């Protein structure tokens, strides 16, 4: 196993990016950090800068304003990096599929590793998704 | 002194929506601020006009995840205004219960984030832990933690089961002691006084001139609350007080919000105890041609919806005005003259869907980067630590 991947198993640092969401997924992500759910036990911490992150958590419907910025941020993440799409909007644009400002879903723009459905997904679902991601890292 | 421009935003890892601030600073003093929004535009008004009246309720629930009750509430009231009809009494009570539950969790969320920006991680964790209890109640009553989908034109979509009432009341009673402790910890802390009193003052005249809304206005002594001025739901049938303070600084905004949490618990309990029997849905078949407005008091201030109908099953025009839109310009007066380390909490004090400090970069005129967004929060947290040390030495 690649030493860089092995190191990630216990210390995935997370950068959270909202590409035009309604806040709900973002708050549930924050909720995961607080005492009841405490995602830190999997070694996950929010990273202050994109350049320290191993994992991009992307919420929202990828509107025109954010797509270019998101691509630029994605290019700046040190490799290996993983992308998790959280919530219905990031998966398929959900309710905003007919909106003039949300041209394409997230996985047409950048590759996505784990999808967590829900509007918003419960913190339990987010944690389950993260554990699946860890499995994926382990088997890589 | 040379002016430096600090761009803040539009992305932040810890926070919610993208927004973009440009702070102009001279040394440590902020002299000007500019706000740019639009990173979150999803075309909701247009989407709402493409859907039927019933479907729109779900779309506008997704305007904001924290105000996911306020917007449908204002929208359904606008539709009821077109028909000029009332809502069954039980439905009004249920609407009030859901709206107040949302206010409690929204204010606790803000309190936690304010604690985080000030360097009080304990307040952050405690407030969010307490918020979970309220979300449990809301999940039990409505079936979801955030997007409740309880509203429909003419009433509510789901009834509250009789078996749930004592459980909900018990949970509300059980959070009061913790809330009381949190209030004491926050409002009687000398360090927090030093950090928030006299900071980011919005005078009463400014609050009126900027048409500030909600807790931002009430902290400045403007007694304005849609729930009292133009009662809807069950607000005229239960006892509660409007919290108004005089100084308009960040501390007063804390006082108002914490006070409102207690009032909301009081309203919620009164509504649960006196929940009347009867219908929950008036059954609206068609919306006649006409126009209607609906306005309600969201956690951040007055939410306003305007709907025009031409007699078909879709709105012809749907206009939404959210409270943060009115509160953002108050930064023009509150941030000016403050130090950079206080700017974080002042920008957070109106409870905007505040975000983005992280992607900021401090640049000098030659374009060299001096620091990033976390430095701003760090500056704020260091100031608290400094004050703590100073007080400890005395």
């Amino acid at each position: 196993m690649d030493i860089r991947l092995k190191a990630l198993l216990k210390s995935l640092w997370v950068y959270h990016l909202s590409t035009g969401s309604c806040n709900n997924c973002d708050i549930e992500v924050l909720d995961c950090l607080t005492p009841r759910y405490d995602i830190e036990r999997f070694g996950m911490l929010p990273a202050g800068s994109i350049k320290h992150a191993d994992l991009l958590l992307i919420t929202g419907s990828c509107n025109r304003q954010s797509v270019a910025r998101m691509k630029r941020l994605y290019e700046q993440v040190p490799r290996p990096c993983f992308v998790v799409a959280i919530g219905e909007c990031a998966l398929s644009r959900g309710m905003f599929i007919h909106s003039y400002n949300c041209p394409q879903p997230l996985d047409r723009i950048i590759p996505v590793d784990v999808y967590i459905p829900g509007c918003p997904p419960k913190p339990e679902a987010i944690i389950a998704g993260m554990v699946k991601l860890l499995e994926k890292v382990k088997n890589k | 002194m040379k002016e430096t421009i600090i761009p803040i935003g539009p992305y932040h890892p810890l926070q919610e929506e993208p927004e973009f601030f440009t702070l102009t600073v001279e040394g440590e003093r902020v002299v000007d601020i500019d706000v740019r929004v639009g990173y979150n535009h999803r075309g909701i008004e247009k989407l709402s006009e493409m859907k039927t009246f019933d479907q729109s309720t779900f779309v506008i629930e997704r305007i904001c995840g924290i105000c996911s009750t306020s917007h449908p509430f204002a929208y359904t009231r606008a539709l009821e205004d077109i028909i000029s009809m009332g809502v069954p009494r039980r439905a009004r009570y249920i609407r009030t219960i859901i709206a107040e539950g949302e206010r409690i969790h929204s204010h606790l969320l803000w309190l936690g984030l304010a604690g985080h920006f000030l360097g009080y991680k304990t307040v952050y964790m405690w407030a969010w832990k307490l918020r979970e209890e309220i979300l449990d109640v809301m999940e039990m009553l409505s079936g979801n933690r955030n997007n409740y989908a309880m509203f429909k034109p003419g009433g509510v979509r789901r009834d509250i089961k009789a078996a749930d009432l004592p459980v909900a009341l018990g949970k509300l009673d059980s959070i009061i002691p913790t809330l009381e402790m949190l209030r004491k910890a926050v409002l009687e802390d000398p360090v927090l006084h030093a950090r928030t009193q006299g900071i980011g003052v919005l005078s009463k005249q400014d609050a009126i001139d900027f048409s500030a809304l909600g807790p931002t206005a009430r902290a400045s002594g403007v007694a304005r609350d849609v729930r009292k001025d133009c009662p809807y739901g069950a607000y005229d049938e239960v006892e509660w007080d409007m919290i108004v303070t005089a100084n308009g600084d960040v501390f007063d905004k804390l006082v108002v919000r914490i006070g409102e949490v207690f009032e909301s618990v009081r309203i919620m309990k009164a509504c649960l105890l006196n929940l009347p029997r009867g219908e929950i849905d008036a059954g609206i078949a068609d919306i006649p041609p006409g126009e209607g407005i609906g306005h309600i008091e969201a956690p951040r201030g007055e939410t306003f919806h305007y709907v025009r109908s031409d007699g078909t099953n879709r709105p012809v025009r749907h206009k939404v005005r959210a409270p943060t839109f009115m509160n953002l310009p108050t930064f023009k007066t509150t941030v000016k003259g403050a130090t950079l380390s206080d700017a974080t909490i002042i920008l957070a004090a109106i409870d905007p869907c505040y975000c983005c400090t992280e992607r900021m970069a401090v640049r000098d005129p030659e374009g060299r980067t001096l620091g990033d967004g976390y430095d701003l929060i760090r500056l704020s947290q260091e100031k608290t630590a400094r004050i703590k040390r100073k007080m400890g030495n005395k």
Side-chain angles (χ1 to χ4, degrees):
Chain A
M1 191 180 195
D2 190 337
I3 181 77
R4 287 178 303 174
L5 285 176
K6 199 172 179 188
L8 288 188
L9 283 178
K10 296 280 184 208
S11 69
L12 263 181
W13 280 19
V14 173
Y15 186 88
H16 159 238
L17 185 68
S18 154
T19 60
S21 71
C22 71
N23 278 358
N24 242 340
C25 300
D26 315 69
I27 288 164
E28 296 295 44
V29 168
L30 269 185
D31 244 357
C32 288
L33 298 167
T34 53
R36 186 182 285 186
Y37 300 104
D38 192 22
I39 206 166
E40 222 176 303
R41 61 206 149 108
F42 298 104
M44 289 171 198
L45 274 180
S49 157
I50 188 86
K51 286 165 186 153
H52 301 160
D54 311 302
L55 176 62
L56 272 182
L57 291 184
I58 301 190
T59 62
S61 48
C62 303
N63 61 21
R64 286 178 201 275
Q65 283 270 8
S66 59
V67 166
R69 291 178 175 86
M70 183 172 66
K71 278 186 191 156
R72 254 166 60 199
L73 285 173
Y74 180 68
E75 284 158 11
Q76 290 174 24
V77 194
R79 301 306 192 255
C81 88
F82 298 90
V83 177
V84 176
I86 294 189
E88 219 52 68
C89 294
L91 262 64
S92 63
R93 292 170 287 164
M95 248 176 217
F96 303 103
I97 193 156
H98 298 303
S99 168
Y100 54 82
N101 209 32
C102 308
Q104 49 187 344
L106 175 66
D107 52 6
R108 297 252 182 91
I109 306 167
I110 58 173
V112 176
D113 292 285
V114 173
Y115 298 85
I116 303 177
C119 186
K122 293 179 78 171
E124 289 94 332
I126 296 178
I127 293 173
M130 292 302 171
V131 171
K132 279 185 184 146
L133 178 81
L134 288 179
E135 288 292 316
K136 193 172 177 176
V137 176
K138 217 179 270 174
N139 297 331
K140 220 173 190 177
Chain B
M1 195 184 275
K2 226 187 252 173
E3 281 187 355
T4 311
I5 292 174
I6 304 180
I8 305 179
Y11 287 106
H12 181 291
L14 260 181
Q15 269 283 20
E16 303 127 21
E17 290 166 307
E19 261 170 343
F20 188 72
F21 298 107
T22 317
L23 286 179
T24 311
V25 294
E26 266 176 20
E28 251 230 298
R29 298 263 151 211
V30 179
V31 291
D32 202 4
I33 181 169
D34 198 15
V35 184
R36 191 185 156 189
V37 289
Y39 295 96
N40 225 337
H41 183 74
R42 285 157 290 160
I44 294 217
E45 289 181 6
K46 187 71 196 161
L47 268 179
S48 164
E49 288 157 25
M50 286 155 69
K51 298 195 185 298
T52 63
F53 286 109
D54 248 2
Q55 291 170 333
S56 284
T57 327
F58 297 107
V59 174
I60 53 171
E61 200 168 64
R62 269 98 184 149
I63 290 177
C64 173
I66 319 174
C67 308
S68 60
T69 300
S70 319
H71 287 288
F73 204 159
Y75 169 73
T76 45
R77 265 172 56 81
L79 293 186
E80 285 145 17
D81 184 35
I82 297 180
I83 319 172
S84 49
M85 63 169 285
V87 179
R89 190 148 173 261
R90 185 176 174 93
R92 285 195 282 124
Y93 269 71
I94 295 178
R95 285 178 172 194
T96 311
I97 291 167
I98 300 293
E100 288 311 306
E102 178 192 82
R103 195 181 316 276
I104 300 171
H105 93 67
S106 172
H107 282 344
L108 285 175
L109 182 148
W110 176 83
L111 180 66
L113 290 180
H116 169 65
F117 291 131
L118 286 171
Y120 260 71
K121 279 280 163 62
T122 321
V123 173
Y124 173 33
M125 292 297 165
W126 271 86
W128 280 61
K129 193 179 164 195
L130 200 55
R131 180 174 167 267
E132 288 296 321
E133 303 288 323
I134 288 296
L135 290 184
D136 281 350
V137 176
M138 301 305 277
E139 188 176 2
M140 188 182 65
L141 296 181
S142 74
N144 201 354
R145 284 159 55 89
N146 297 82
N147 288 337
Y148 308 116
M150 284 292 267
F151 286 70
K152 66 183 286 187
V156 289
R157 225 165 267 281
R158 273 178 226 102
D159 207 349
I160 291 182
K161 291 196 286 286
D164 287 344
L165 292 178
V167 186
L169 280 168
K171 277 247 181 197
L172 285 175
D173 278 333
S174 73
I175 66 164
I176 294 258
T178 330
L179 258 179
E180 201 65 63
M181 196 201 70
L182 198 61
R183 163 150 82 177
K184 266 201 177 139
V186 171
L187 298 188
E188 292 174 10
D189 188 289
V191 182
L192 268 181
H193 281 202
R195 273 314 303 276
T196 54
Q197 274 178 347
I199 304 280
V201 178
L202 180 70
S203 68
K204 186 173 181 180
Q205 191 54 45
D206 279 339
I208 293 169
D209 289 349
F210 279 106
S211 296
L213 301 169
T216 312
R218 289 196 284 279
S220 299
V222 183
R224 194 185 283 166
D225 191 323
V226 187
R227 294 175 291 171
K228 278 270 191 244
D229 302 338
C230 180
Y232 56 94
Y235 290 111
D236 48 351
E237 295 175 31
V238 293
E239 287 266 313
W240 63 282
D241 300 315
M242 199 195 312
I243 314 274
V244 183
T245 54
N247 299 325
D249 54 6
V250 178
F251 183 74
D252 275 17
K253 292 184 179 118
L254 263 172
V255 174
V256 168
R257 290 217 172 82
I258 295 181
E260 279 187 7
V261 171
F262 281 92
E263 291 303 318
S264 292
V265 174
R266 201 169 138 201
I267 298 173
M268 228 175 143
K269 274 174 68 180
C271 285
L272 285 167
L273 280 172
N274 305 320
L275 194 61
R277 287 170 191 285
E279 288 290 307
I280 57 161
D281 183 7
I284 292 181
D286 295 309
I287 310 279
E291 48 187 8
I293 56 163
H295 58 144
I296 65 120
E297 186 78 14
R300 288 161 187 74
E302 181 189 359
T303 297
F304 181 91
H305 279 238
Y306 164 85
V307 181
R308 191 164 79 231
S309 158
D310 62 351
T312 58
N313 61 349
R314 284 151 210 257
V316 186
R317 179 79 181 95
H318 183 188
K319 164 91 185 101
V320 181
R321 197 203 64 193
T324 304
F325 184 73
M326 301 307 288
N327 285 338
L328 272 179
T330 60
F331 289 158
K332 280 271 180 204
T333 58
T334 51
V335 174
K336 270 184 199 170
T339 61
L340 206 48
S341 49
D342 288 331
T344 326
I345 186 64
I346 297 174
L347 295 185
I350 69 157
D351 193 6
C353 293
Y354 172 78
C355 52
C356 346
T357 357
E358 124 68 21
R359 284 286 298 151
M360 142 206 150
V362 183
R363 285 178 194 279
D364 59 10
E366 282 85 53
R368 281 173 302 182
T369 305
L370 304 176
D372 70 1
Y374 257 58
D375 290 348
L376 201 66
I377 296 181
R378 207 199 59 232
L379 271 177
S380 173
Q381 294 180 345
E382 276 173 5
K383 186 169 178 184
T384 306
R386 212 159 52 229
I387 295 174
K388 263 187 194 164
R389 268 201 306 277
K390 218 190 271 170
M391 291 192 167
N393 290 345
K394 264 177 194 170

